[in-house]
């Protein structure tokens, strides 16, 4: 009788394990990407026609000699961030890209598509500017690092970054093989060896979304002379940009480009 109960329990656990794993695999895009609503704003925009998708980029402070490309976090509305960024960096033309399926952009988000769109944006605006700096936040740090690894960049700012999405997912779901299940891995760590730009990593002291260990792995991969680090105290992953210190240290790092 005991053997039979153990067998039933084992089968039940196995079925549950497989079922939950299947759900994580099938719905991983919904877990990773949280598209933002379409919000109309007054800033000019450019549209990149990309393989059947229209990728919208907001252009803040046009016609400045130097530029900033900014790639936002998951669920971060570029339209709602535009006013803050335009005011904080008035001497830079700032480009804010709605990922596919986010905001005013059409299509479906994926790592391959977003990284390709980000390179296309860089290539479209680079001839207009003397220097280009890049910023990324949370999910966008993987995109920013990818561009910096493949194009010439003046400065790179990574806000609440990770070593890789696969690594973060593995810690969150330790009983599943994240490296086998994930389609989009955003391996920031692998980009480091090809990044030549002066880099700034900004962490939130109370970040519970990206555990400190994942950022530390990334920090240790950079040559020390290339990297500057700052920690915003008493702030978390979401409210880090509500702190006045956040924009001050970003302005000091970016400087004149």
């Amino acid at each position: 009788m005991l053997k039979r109960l153990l067998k039933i329990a084992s089968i039940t656990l196995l079925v549950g394990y497989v079922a939950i794993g299947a759900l994580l695999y099938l719905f991983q895009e919904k877990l990773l990407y949280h598209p933002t609503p379409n919000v109309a704003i007054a800033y000019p925009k450019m549209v990149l026609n990309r393989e059947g998708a229209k990728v919208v980029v907001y252009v803040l402070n046009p016609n400045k000699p130097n530029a900033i490309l900014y790639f936002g976090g998951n669920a971060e509305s570029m339209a709602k961030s535009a006013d803050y960024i335009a005011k904080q960096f008035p001497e830079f033309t700032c480009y804010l890209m709605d990922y596919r399926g986010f905001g005013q952009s059409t299509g479906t988000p994926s790592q391959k598509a977003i990284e390709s769109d980000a390179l296309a944006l860089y290539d479209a605006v680079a001839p207009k500017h003397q220097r280009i700096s890049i910023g990324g936040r949370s999910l966008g740090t993987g995109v920013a690092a990818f561009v910096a690894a493949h194009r010439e960049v003046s400065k790179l700012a990574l806000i609440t970054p990770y070593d890789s999405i696969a690594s973060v997912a593995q810690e969150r779901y330790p009983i599943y093989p994240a490296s086998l299940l994930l389609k989009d891995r955003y391996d920031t760590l692998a980009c480091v060896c090809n990044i030549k730009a002066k880099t700034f990593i900004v962490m939130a002291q109370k970040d519970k979304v990206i555990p400190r260990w994942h950022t530390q792995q990334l920090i240790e991969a950079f040559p020390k002379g290339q990297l500057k680090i700052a920690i915003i105290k008493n702030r978390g992953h979401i409210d880090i940009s509500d702190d006045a210190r956040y924009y001050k240290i970003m302005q000091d790092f970016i400087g004149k480009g």
Side-chain angles (χ1 to χ4, degrees), residues 23 54 62 66 68 77 80 86 88 93 106 146 150 153 162 176 180 228 238 244 247 249-250:
L23 288 173
K54 292 186 180 297
N66 298 325
I68 297 173
S77 169
K80 292 181 180 179
Q88 297 300 328
T93 298
T106 64
F146 178 83
H150 290 82
V153 172
Y162 46 81
Y176 291 99
L180 297 178
K228 179 181 178 182
I238 305 300
Y247 283 108
I249 61 174
M250 292 295 292

Side-chain angles (χ1 to χ4, degrees), residues 18 23 34 39 59 64 73-74 78-79 105 118 123 138 160-161 163 173 221 236 248:
V18 172
L23 288 173
H34 297 166
V39 178
V59 184
K64 301 296 183 181
N74 197 359
M78 292 296 92
S105 293
D123 292 341
S138 191
T160 61
D163 48 355
Y173 307 102
K248 178 63 168 63

